Amino acid sequence: TDDLREALKILDERSAQFASLGEDGNVDVQALRARVLGALASRGDARAAEELKKNVSQSASCDREDDSVRAEALGALGQMDMAAAMPVVRKVLQRRDECTVELRRRALYLLSRQPSAEAVGLILDVAKNDTDSGIRGDAMRVLPRVAGDSAVPQLEELLRTSTDEQTQRSVINALGSIDSDRARRAIRTIIERNDAAERVRYDAI
């Protein structure tokens, strides 16, 4: 713990010097600082934990350095205590801007490691409502892993209500990862739908 605090002190004292390393070098330094804070937080340092939460919750920007710091801070929070990180994860996943796509992807990853009813609800909301098609697809791939066979009704609903071909194909892939008769029946339903796109039915077959 003393060594970690000394490392944090060095990183802070030499921040001006590190700034001269250029964007890539400075990104690495700030990411390292977030990891040090995470290690301190996991050892019970409340100030380090609060700083991590503040870093994740700061206003979204498209600055690469800020993105890296937020992603590292979120990862460190999840490693420390997922229950404590859930309010921050929830806030991250409520964002819909282009600048937080990678941060939202990291939040989904954390949820996939800690299955719970709350995690299933958050992932389902992302699968339905996120503005980024890639993130929606990621959420649908994660959902079966977190919810198992109980994810089938939600995926069926998405399949029934969505008119977006990419979303339908993501749902088919998610259902295909669930080894149950219920999931197979849901896939068979899309094969028999005359209004479904040919590519979607091909994926289902």
Side-chain angles (χ1 to χ4, degrees), residues 182-198:
R182 194 178 187 184
R184 284 186 281 275
R185 282 196 300 271
I187 294 173
R188 193 156 53 243
T189 298
I190 196 71
I191 297 172
E192 296 167 352
R193 273 177 52 182
N194 293 327
D195 63 327
E198 183 176 324

Side-chain angles (χ1 to χ4, degrees), residues 2 4 7 17 39 41-42 59 67-68 82 88 92 107 109 121 136 143 150 181 184 193 199 202 205:
D2 289 342
L4 287 166
Q17 177 184 342
S42 69
S59 298
D67 288 348
S68 179
M82 194 58 196
V88 179
V92 165
Y109 170 73
R136 291 196 304 273
L143 188 61
S150 63
D181 290 338
R184 284 186 281 275
R193 273 177 52 182
R199 183 68 193 178
Y202 178 84
I205 291 168

Side-chain angles (χ1 to χ4, degrees), residues 55-156:
N55 286 343
V56 178
S57 302
Q58 66 185 344
S59 298
S61 74
C62 286
D63 182 85
R64 183 166 166 259
E65 182 179 319
D66 288 344
D67 288 348
S68 179
V69 171
R70 284 197 296 267
E72 288 290 346
L74 183 59
L77 280 174
Q79 293 288 339
M80 178 188 71
D81 180 1
M82 194 58 196
M86 280 301 284
V88 179
V89 169
R90 193 182 307 111
K91 188 174 181 180
V92 165
L93 291 176
Q94 287 171 349
R95 296 176 177 174
R96 299 290 186 255
D97 54 289
E98 187 178 340
C99 296
T100 59
V101 167
E102 289 307 315
L103 191 61
R104 300 200 305 272
R105 187 167 282 120
R106 179 70 69 95
L108 277 174
Y109 170 73
L110 291 178
L111 288 178
S112 73
R113 294 174 56 247
Q114 299 286 338
S116 67
E118 184 179 12
V120 170
L122 288 171
I123 294 168
L124 183 60
D125 178 67
V126 172
K128 288 180 176 179
N129 302 313
D130 200 279
T131 53
D132 184 89
S133 61
I135 292 292
R136 291 196 304 273
D138 288 343
M140 279 179 264
R141 281 188 290 275
V142 166
L143 188 61
R145 192 158 68 243
V146 176
D149 192 50
S150 63
V152 174
Q154 290 93 338
L155 291 168
E156 281 184 304

